[in-house]
Amino acid sequence: MLAAVTVPYESTGAAVLVPVRVRGLLVGDLPACAWAGSARHLRQVERELARAAAGEVDYLAVCTPADLPVAIGGVDYQVSAGAGTLWQLAVHPALRSCGLGTLLVRAAERRIAERGLGRAELAVEEANIRARALYERLGYTAYGRAMDAWDAEGPDGSVRRHETMCVLMRREL
């Protein structure tokens, strides 16, 4: 899928229209995705790509003309009957608020609909107000709350358990 996003040009403040495309994330892309998380997280993404090969998930990348991923995220079809569950959505920090998150979510929703499923779901940390506002703008509504937890790697390589309350959201497609 081809599209374009508007990116502010730092030195002048002017906006530049940059073409991007959405495609499946590849194992070879992972070294260029260090902005998306720790080495531990990227190893987890690599495991998810094996699930993508089996058709259990889709893992998407929004890429620049140089074919570098600037936004990534997955859709898991095994979590909820009749729905695709969006997860591990990330946009390069320097390119947030340029439309990449919207493009990624809409591409994921198309993948869900192509499978004949009628609903997209996701969980967003309660403290992540910015992401929740994006999902609400895209038509997602809250329907509950749930605890979630995962192991997070610190800059020094130490691993700690991250526990958080999430808002469960969904959108009929």
Side-chain angles (χ1 to χ4, degrees):
M1 180 185 119
L2 295 173
V5 294
T6 304
V7 177
Y9 190 68
E10 266 188 40
S11 63
T12 66
V16 177
L17 194 62
V18 177
V20 293
R21 73 182 181 110
V22 179
R23 62 167 174 76
L25 184 69
L26 306 171
V27 171
D29 294 325
L30 294 178
C33 295
W35 52 265
S38 68
R40 179 184 188 89
H41 172 72
L42 292 177
R43 286 190 302 273
Q44 175 62 35
V45 172
E46 185 171 1
R47 287 189 292 274
E48 296 303 333
L49 291 176
R51 291 183 63 214
E56 297 174 3
V57 303
D58 280 319
Y59 217 109
L60 304 176
V62 179
C63 297
T64 67
D67 207 32
L68 293 172
V70 291
I72 61 173
V75 181
D76 194 324
Y77 301 105
Q78 307 295 306
V79 175
S80 184
T85 301
L86 284 64
W87 99 117
Q88 295 185 345
L89 303 174
V91 174
H92 191 292
L95 298 171
R96 291 182 180 147
S97 298
C98 294
L100 294 167
T102 296
L103 181 63
L104 179 62
V105 169
R106 293 302 190 219
E109 290 171 345
R110 275 190 293 284
R111 294 283 182 105
I112 294 166
E114 287 170 0
R115 287 188 177 229
L117 302 173
R119 189 174 68 253
E121 297 181 347
L122 57 87
V124 60
E125 289 183 75
E126 283 185 336
N128 194 343
I129 304 300
R130 184 181 178 137
R132 184 171 176 183
L134 167 65
Y135 303 138
E136 288 172 346
R137 278 194 309 276
L138 296 177
Y140 286 76
T141 57
Y143 69 92
R145 297 170 69 224
M147 285 296 297
D148 199 358
W150 57 87
D151 290 335
E153 183 178 6
D156 64 353
S158 64
V159 177
R160 65 174 175 77
R161 191 73 175 160
H162 178 79
E163 295 181 358
T164 187
M165 181 61 75
C166 291
V167 176
L168 305 176
M169 303 183 81
R170 64 179 158 218
R171 177 176 179 269
E172 299 298 323
L173 303 178

